[in-house]
Amino acid sequence: MGILEKMRLDGKKAFVTGGARGIGKNYAFALTEAGADVAIVDLDLAAAEETVKELRERGAKAIAVKADVTRPEDVAAMMAAVLDAFGGLDIAFCNAGVCMNISAEEMTLAQWQKVIDINLTGVFLTAQAAGRQMIRQGRGGSIVNTASMSAHIVNVPQPQCAYNASKAGVIQLTKSLAIEWAEKGIRVNSISPGYIGTELTLNSPSLIPLIQQWNAMAPLHRLGKPEELQAIAVYLAGDASSFTTGADFVVDGAFTCF
């Protein structure tokens, strides 16, 4: 089998949490372009349905599922919906996340807990659900967690200690699951994006001044484009990465190199 064939995902079944917009949406478009069927999982069902509409217009098979990834019952219902629509699961992108730029001395416990619950506990619950299903199926699979370059550095000038801690946790969780499930044929990796110019980022009044500072600091002097994460997503999802597990892939335009 040639490398281009190994990059194909025909017949594979996937879900992407936080898939209605931003990085998750771009993952979903890449997976369907490579041939996978994809469930767009998001707390915002209307946005998820709009993304599904776009995918179906391109000939993809996709469904929208509403779920709060911090609630085990929602995750269980999500898995039931995926299995009902697709009959199985081969690929899971545990991507849903949130960031709060609040100084450590002012952050409330509720704010800290929200970030940790979504970014770390939510990744665990959705990866756990995917792993359980893949183990039952007995044919392995690929789980990809969204970490961040913020797991490797402390971002400046914005204060985001909870986000940084949660994403560092995602990387260690990824490695732990990769070891636990290696003998089951389940590969677990993470992607650590740098500053990415999603619609939300580019249109946020509070972030526009920060973008100018980030670009001044960045070796490439620009934000990454969401589509620049698509190739690594497809690689990790399919057979081309069959010997790749427990790894974190930093895609940040060299921002963390200094």
Side-chain angles (χ1 to χ4, degrees):
M1 182 184 294
I3 185 60
L4 293 181
E5 293 175 280
K6 290 181 180 179
M7 294 292 283
R8 293 296 305 173
L9 303 174
D10 300 293
K12 302 290 187 181
K13 317 300 181 183
F15 71 68
V16 180
T17 67
R21 55 176 62 84
I23 289 172
K25 181 176 180 179
N26 275 268
Y27 286 160
F29 271 71
L31 296 176
T32 57
E33 187 174 337
D37 301 333
V38 177
I40 303 300
V41 181
D42 208 282
L43 192 58
D44 186 341
L45 182 59
E49 290 174 338
E50 185 60 34
T51 296
V52 166
K53 180 181 177 182
E54 292 179 48
L55 290 169
R56 289 175 176 172
E57 288 173 351
R58 295 178 175 222
K61 183 176 180 180
I63 62 168
V65 181
K66 180 177 181 178
D68 179 342
V69 298
T70 71
R71 295 169 56 87
E73 57 270 31
D74 277 26
V75 174
M78 172 203 77
M79 280 303 309
V82 170
L83 296 179
D84 183 60
F86 299 152
L89 181 71
D90 305 287
I91 302 161
F93 273 75
C94 306
N95 168 75
V98 66
C99 183
M100 292 186 181
N101 293 333
I102 303 170
S103 63
E105 71 272 17
E106 296 176 348
M107 178 170 284
T108 67
L109 178 58
Q111 291 167 332
W112 166 271
Q113 196 67 59
K114 179 177 181 178
V115 175
I116 298 298
D117 283 351
I118 296 173
N119 293 4
L120 183 54
T121 304
V123 168
F124 169 70
L125 290 173
T126 50
Q128 179 189 52
R132 285 172 171 169
Q133 178 60 29
M134 291 172 181
I135 290 169
R136 282 193 290 267
Q137 293 171 174
R139 61 173 186 257
S142 175
I143 298 172
V144 183
N145 302 323
T146 298
S148 172
M149 73 171 183
S150 304
H152 299 268
I153 62 169
V154 176
N155 304 66
V156 293
Q158 70 275 21
Q160 52 181 64
C161 66
Y163 183 84
N164 298 348
S166 69
K167 292 301 187 178
V170 168
I171 291 178
Q172 191 66 4
L173 173 63
T174 297
K175 293 178 180 180
S176 300
L177 296 179
I179 294 299
E180 288 195 34
W181 292 338
E183 293 185 355
K184 306 291 186 181
I186 300 169
R187 297 181 297 104
V188 190
N189 295 285
S190 59
I191 300 174
S192 282
Y195 292 122
I196 303 297
T198 63
E199 288 185 16
L200 182 63
T201 298
L202 295 175
N203 293 308
S204 172
S206 64
L207 293 181
I208 291 174
L210 291 175
I211 290 172
Q212 296 172 353
Q213 296 184 57
W214 298 339
N215 288 346
M217 297 169 62
L220 298 183
H221 300 300
R222 68 173 178 86
L223 302 181
K225 301 174 184 177
E227 57 267 28
E228 290 177 309
L229 297 168
Q230 290 181 321
I232 189 65
V234 173
Y235 165 73
L236 291 174
D239 294 337
S241 59
S242 56
F243 196 58
T244 304
T245 192
D248 178 63
F249 291 81
V250 181
V251 185
D252 69 344
F255 198 97
T256 58
C257 287
F258 62 92

